[in-house]
Amino acid sequence: MPTLCQTMSAKLIEGIPLAAQFRADIALEVQALNAQGKRVRLACIQVGEKPESLLYVRNQKKLCAELGIEFEVEMLPDEISQNALIQKIHELNQTPEVTGIILELPLPARINTFMCQRAISPQKDAEGVHPVNLGLLVYGVAHHAPCTAMAAYQLIKSTGVELRGKEVTVVGHSQIVGKPISLMLLHDFCTVTTCHIATKDLAAHTRNADVLVVAVGKPGLIKAHMVKPGAMIIDVGVNRIPLKDKDGNPVLTEKGKQKYATVGDVDFENVKEIAGWITPVPGGVGPVTVTMLLRNVTEAAKHDHGPNL
Ligand code: NAP
């Protein structure tokens, strides 16, 4: 069994090959379900036309097609009321052929996101963010785990490193990442410390970690001096930063627009010299997250259940 590394240049934990393995398994599962007459279908609810979300929805559609999963988009007007949106969600809950529902965020500010997410049936909760599923995580038996936390967990497990007894520090305590991954690793008998904005000495906790999971949204938050030599680093953060040349001038596109780079929360270049294992950004947690979404949709199709618990 692999151990935490003592080398001075970290092994990459790459998300793309891991996602490809999961996707191959999902495609086979979908074929088997179809052969039994069971459909696998993701319904995506999009409120208003936002270019960024539209791109995300197009990617979901493409990936569903690759895996044999049916896909539908419910495009709703920007001015829709909260009640009408919840009504639409209830309709999809009652539609037997729909096995997963995703609500694209952000919603217009006047709509209560939490109320709408709660309206999705826990069994069709493709993202694993329904309070029932989050609550069941305490028991280790969620119908669907939150996709990003599950992606981080699968990346950790893919290294084969024994987790029992390890010191884990999770930075960030959001409902969809920090808290659920803390619970998942607690179930594996790790000793978990969860840090947040009020943590007094973040570096003291990160330096103690055999496994460090960072899910904050602040580029460069975790520097090399904050990492234990040989530790495993899972960088969940996704940040867009303006590219600059070596003199500090903005790097522009051919059309004269600012170019951006996607980076995580970890100072990758320096931390990789200290850590034993590290996820890249992009190409780490991201590709596995969307795969976990489709795994949830496929798992749901295996179970005969009513529209509500
Ligand atoms: P979030 O809801 O904004 O949570 C961020 C967390 O970080 C909060 O718990 C916050 O604490 C904590 N925090 C903020 N500053 C901190 C500091 N200086 N030290 C310690 N903790 C601090 O974000 P999220 O949804 O969990 O996402 C986190 C990151 O992951 C973002 O960059 C997001 O883009 C990325 N993400 C990636 C994927 C993927 O598939 N790769 C998916 C989802 C999210 P307080 O609440 O106490 O302020």
Side-chain angles (χ1 to χ4, degrees), residues 202-229:
L202 181 63
H205 296 291
T206 58
R207 268 199 302 269
N208 188 44
D210 299 314
V211 178
L212 175 60
V213 181
V214 190
V216 172
K218 291 194 176 159
L221 178 70
I222 303 299
K223 311 246 184 284
H225 74 272
M226 299 167 75
V227 169
K228 182 180 191 174

Side-chain angles (χ1 to χ4, degrees), residues 293-309:
L293 177 93
L294 299 181
R295 194 171 78 149
N296 281 342
V297 177
T298 308
E299 280 298 309
K302 289 185 192 165
H303 306 291
D304 290 321
H305 48 65
N308 291 303
L309 269 184

